[in-house]
Amino acid sequence: MPFIQINLGEGRTAEQKDKLIRAVSAAAADAISVPEASVRVWLVEVPATEILVGGQTLAERQAGRS
């Protein structure tokens, strides 16, 4: 039974996160030929202030877009 953890910076909608975990589950089941019921996927949402990208926090980068 595969266990898949996804670490994702905060800021996505509930719908986007749901779509992601469902797609990953289906892809894993297909890739290793197991029933999707045996696949475990969970998402860990990381606060944007706790991710650094190129010397800026994700929160700072996101604020620069607006």
Side-chain angles (χ1 to χ4, degrees), residues 3-12 17 20-21 24 40-48 50-51 53 58:
F3 291 85
I4 302 167
Q5 178 174 318
I6 302 169
N7 296 302
L8 184 68
E10 69 181 352
R12 304 304 192 294
K17 293 182 283 188
L20 173 62
I21 60 175
V24 168
R40 306 294 184 260
V41 179
W42 64 99
L43 188 124
V44 178
E45 201 167 15
V46 181
E50 297 180 12
I51 300 171
V53 180
L58 184 56

